[in-house]
Amino acid sequence: MPILLFLIDTSASMNQRAYLGTSYLDIAKGAVEIFMKVSARRGDRYMLGTFDEPPYCIKAGWKENHATFMNELKNLQASGLTTLGQALRSSFDLLNLNRLVSGIDNYGQGRNPFFLEPSILITITDGNKLTNTAGVQEEVNSH
């Protein structure tokens, strides 16, 4: 049962319009909706994350039902900064927390090889400059 985490860029730059007049955010929402219709399998778990500040960045967790996920996706709005690095960190922290709680990772005792819980992180962004409260960055820096 893999976990698919959709990380959607909700920075203000996603309000840009494509050549047909549709905003980038609406295109991203449509891509996730199509993915859910075409490849949703029984047993898969889905999460929805955004570029908002933690803990508000998680809009729908893996225990939410499909209707809640789709409703949260529909209600996404673009505002704020392009904090890709922070959003990725929050997503990986959440996935690691899930592995710790479910018993897959046992700190100090290693990983249980008979548990396999793949996680897929799908990030949709417009690729604009990365911005944070300190200014504009050219690339994601790991700390």
Side-chain angles (χ1 to χ4, degrees):
M1 293 192 320
I3 295 176
L4 282 87
L5 196 154
F6 293 97
L7 185 58
I8 309 294
D9 185 348
T10 53
S11 64
S13 62
M14 292 292 281
N15 284 321
Q16 295 179 77
R17 300 283 176 188
Y19 71 98
L20 293 176
T22 308
S23 74
Y24 287 3
L25 183 61
D26 289 335
I27 294 170
K29 291 177 187 180
V32 173
E33 286 178 12
I34 290 171
F35 184 91
M36 295 290 285
K37 287 178 185 174
V38 171
S39 64
R41 296 180 303 195
R42 187 178 188 97
D44 285 353
R45 293 178 291 167
Y46 299 96
M47 295 179 63
L48 179 62
T50 64
F51 282 24
D52 293 337
E53 296 282 327
Y56 307 108
C57 57
I58 301 302
K59 300 299 182 185
W62 57 81
K63 294 186 179 184
E64 307 287 345
N65 60 26
H66 182 76
T68 303
F69 179 94
M70 296 308 281
N71 189 44
E72 289 293 330
L73 177 67
K74 183 182 77 166
N75 291 330
L76 289 181
Q77 295 183 357
S79 65
L81 304 174
T82 308
T83 54
L84 177 61
Q86 181 183 26
L88 287 172
R89 179 180 179 167
S90 299
S91 299
F92 285 125
D93 286 347
L94 188 63
L95 290 172
N96 285 336
L97 180 64
N98 177 54
R99 288 183 174 191
L100 179 63
V101 169
S102 63
I104 292 175
D105 284 340
N106 293 310
Y107 290 106
Q109 300 174 0
R111 176 170 282 175
N112 293 326
F114 46 87
F115 284 137
L116 179 62
E117 185 177 60
S119 300
I120 302 167
L121 180 63
I122 302 168
T123 305
I124 302 175
T125 181
D126 61 351
N128 274 354
K129 299 274 189 214
L130 306 174
T131 55
N132 59 27
T133 55
V136 178
Q137 299 173 217
E138 292 294 326
E139 60 188 27
V140 175
N141 297 323
S142 61
H143 297 288

